[in-house]
Amino acid sequence: MSKQQDARSSIINGSGINRRTLLASSAVLGGAMLLPGRTFAQASQPSPGGTLRIAMPFNPAALDPITGRNVPDFNALYAIFDALIAFDPATLELKPMLAKDWTFTDPKTLVLNLVDGVKFHDGTPFTAEAVKFNLDRSMNDPRSNVKSDLVSVASVAATGSGQVTIKLKQPNYSLPTILTGRVGCIVSPASIQAAANGNVDRNPVGTGPFKFVEWQDNTLIKVARNPDYWQKGLPYLDGIDFRIINELNTAARTVTAGETDLALNMAAQQIATARRMPDLTAEANPSMIFFTLMMNFAKPPLNDIRVRQAMNYAINREELNKVLMLGLGQPTSTMFPKDFWAVDAGTANFYQHDPEKARKLLAEAGYPNGLEVETWSWPDQTSIQRLELVGNQLSQVGIRLKVTPSPPQVVNQFFYIEGKGSMILNPQGGWLDPSQTYERLFGASGQFNAGKVEDPQFRKLLDATGASADAGERKAAFAALQRFVVEQALHLPLVTSAAMSIRNKKVKDWHYDRLHSPRFHRVWLDQNA
């Protein structure tokens, strides 16, 4: 029996499911089935010191993990905050972090044992009570955007100074994976209690390798080395300057000009240009980020499945990948790349380009002459161009987009205040467990479900994905859930993206994982490069 088969057998037959077992299972789910043969080589002899200069688009909505909402927030979040559980950037295998180990003592009880001697940046101790405080806050705070991640949790208790016990409403073996993300990033309770209305959006205090220094809106986020970091000898950098540059070409040029060392969240056009420059490294690695038009399917016209399906048949995804991604992405009718363990090949390309079928569905829905759909878009040039191409394809079957380039507050209104628009083009993804993606996008309390409605069949299928720790059973459950979402056309998926970055030769041990969530613990600068 192979090691992976033995791990699965232990999960099925053992009375307790511990961290070691789950790590082995995670290798099946996140490693062997996801990134076969891919490893990251570590550069030798790191040299401490220096400030890493980063160019990145998008001013964060918040630097409080539970109130932020965008994938690029993680550029800074994992510098300031440690999560309860980490993951390997190459394999996505779960690894200890603030929780040194974890065990399912029964299918509805998860016990975390915590690292000793950790302190928050404000000097207060990291304890089991601090973890309970944070998880309760994620579930109950009115401003929390991550309630859907913990929808299966019934209660959290500190069962010792270094132990946390989580009771579940129903089995959910995806929870350790979920604790690698926003809900697992632990904020100092003292900082929250001292802040007006508990708002620490702009004053983050974590346990991470870097301490927050300042945030100049749309200009700069600065962090400095945490001299008391609990992982001795880390980090190597003295600090990081995150320069916020919303125009992607400008951000890329700062690396070319030597003004920054690393540019994040780049697009295909910048990668193509940078690859012609021998002094730069431009990477486009496989990614869990995808582009989709999120729909408010709770109100007309998108509450009609025929309209939603018509839109999906109207899209030529192969053309979008060639033009928008320069071939670096993948056309998809779902949300995941074709080599991801939870994707079902049978429905991954369900919607082929079929304008005639789209027109027929529109006529059946009562729109023989087409219709207009009020649509939002991010205001940057790349996003506008992306939506123009999609809109042109939809117009060929009579679907006209009434587009409003929106500042972040309008995006907030679309997702959180029902009635503001019908559709928005948005990059999505960046969650380690696929159940998080489905919950966030389509669950009734999901952050990106504008209408806040949910089909009972969706809930039944989603709950089934966490009912077993067995890889094969989870894969089958996700295949059924994927088919439901695709056939119901709950959104308009276009292409999966790539994790794209540009850097100079000085930046060492830098890894951009599939989730676009970089960690800077071991990054260092080679001044001789």
Side-chain angles (χ1 to χ4, degrees), residues 90-112:
T91 66
L92 304 188
E93 178 184 347
L94 300 186
K95 299 170 68 70
M97 187 54 110
L98 292 175
K100 60 186 178 184
D101 60 60
W102 53 92
T103 303
F104 276 100
T105 57
D106 63 62
K108 294 169 63 175
T109 305
L110 175 64
V111 177
L112 308 173

Side-chain angles (χ1 to χ4, degrees), residues 32-80:
M33 298 176 69
L34 180 63
L35 293 172
R38 187 180 176 202
T39 59
F40 290 126
Q42 182 176 7
S44 60
Q45 299 180 337
S47 176
T51 296
L52 179 66
R53 303 165 301 168
I54 294 177
M56 69 176 191
F58 313 121
N59 196 50
L63 289 178
D64 180 345
I66 75 163
T67 62
R69 57 181 177 269
N70 301 321
V71 173
D73 295 353
F74 276 99
N75 293 338
L77 284 180
Y78 278 150
I80 300 168

Side-chain angles (χ1 to χ4, degrees), residues 173-191:
Y173 288 105
S174 64
L175 186 56
T177 306
I178 291 171
L179 294 177
T180 66
R182 288 182 180 273
V183 296
C185 291
I186 305 302
V187 185
S188 162
S191 71

Side-chain angles (χ1 to χ4, degrees), residues 308-328:
R308 301 195 303 268
Q309 289 175 337
M311 298 179 78
N312 272 276
Y313 282 116
I315 294 297
N316 185 335
R317 293 169 174 83
E318 294 286 347
E319 180 182 86
L320 291 180
N321 185 43
K322 291 176 182 177
V323 176
L324 296 179
M325 297 290 172
L326 303 182
L328 296 177

Side-chain angles (χ1 to χ4, degrees), residues 186-423:
I186 305 302
V187 185
S188 162
S191 71
I192 296 168
Q193 293 162 347
N197 300 316
N199 188 329
V200 291
D201 287 0
R202 303 184 66 84
N203 189 28
V205 181
T207 65
F210 297 92
K211 301 172 67 170
F212 174 75
V213 177
E214 65 172 318
W215 180 3
Q216 301 173 23
D217 263 331
N218 292 299
T219 302
L220 176 71
I221 295 171
K222 179 183 284 288
V223 299
R225 184 179 187 274
N226 176 9
D228 301 314
Y229 189 51
W230 61 278
Q231 296 195 58
K232 301 302 181 184
L234 299 178
Y236 298 124
L237 297 168
D238 289 332
I240 307 173
D241 289 349
F242 297 93
R243 291 183 55 186
I244 302 166
I245 305 172
N246 288 320
E247 214 292 308
L248 298 186
N249 286 328
T250 302
R253 282 195 293 268
T254 64
V255 183
T256 305
E259 299 167 358
T260 61
D261 305 302
L262 171 66
L264 303 177
N265 306 107
M266 294 289 99
Q269 291 75 13
Q270 290 80 46
I271 297 299
T273 300
R275 281 179 171 171
R276 297 196 291 266
M277 302 177 183
D279 294 335
L280 300 180
T281 299
E283 292 185 336
N285 295 324
S287 166
M288 297 298 294
I289 304 299
F290 61 96
F291 286 93
T292 186
L293 280 145
M294 293 302 301
M295 300 176 175
N296 187 341
F297 46 82
K299 67 173 191 175
L302 300 182
N303 62 338
D304 191 319
I305 186 175
R306 295 168 296 186
V307 175
R308 301 195 303 268
Q309 289 175 337
M311 298 179 78
N312 272 276
Y313 282 116
I315 294 297
N316 185 335
R317 293 169 174 83
E318 294 286 347
E319 180 182 86
L320 291 180
N321 185 43
K322 291 176 182 177
V323 176
L324 296 179
M325 297 290 172
L326 303 182
L328 296 177
Q330 295 175 12
T332 183
S333 294
T334 179
M335 303 175 292
F336 305 116
K338 61 185 179 182
D339 63 339
F340 186 53
W341 71 270
V343 78
D344 174 46
T347 50
N349 297 297
F350 184 88
Y351 291 105
Q352 296 298 310
H353 185 220
D354 192 338
E356 288 304 316
K357 192 166 187 175
R359 294 187 189 98
K360 181 180 179 181
L361 284 164
L362 287 176
E364 291 175 359
Y367 301 102
N369 299 316
L371 74 162
E372 183 176 85
V373 181
E374 187 178 5
T375 307
W376 302 113
S377 168
W378 289 91
D380 62 281
Q381 183 181 9
T382 301
S383 295
I384 295 296
Q385 291 173 343
R386 188 180 295 128
L387 190 56
E388 285 176 347
L389 181 56
V390 173
N392 180 64
Q393 291 189 357
L394 292 172
S395 70
Q396 303 304 308
V397 301
I399 300 172
R400 300 173 297 279
L401 302 185
K402 181 182 178 183
V403 178
T404 301
S406 61
Q409 61 264 29
V410 179
V411 175
N412 188 43
Q413 287 177 333
F414 174 80
F415 285 127
Y416 305 113
I417 302 175
E418 186 175 350
K420 293 288 185 179
S422 295
M423 193 162 63

Side-chain angles (χ1 to χ4, degrees), residues 489-517:
L490 296 184
H491 65 137
L492 184 56
L494 306 172
V495 292
T496 63
S497 182
M500 304 187 206
S501 63
I502 302 169
R503 67 182 186 273
N504 62 34
K505 302 296 184 181
K506 292 193 300 183
V507 182
K508 302 299 182 182
D509 289 344
W510 154 253
H511 311 307
Y512 211 4
D513 63 43
R514 281 199 166 199
L515 308 185
H516 290 220
S517 52

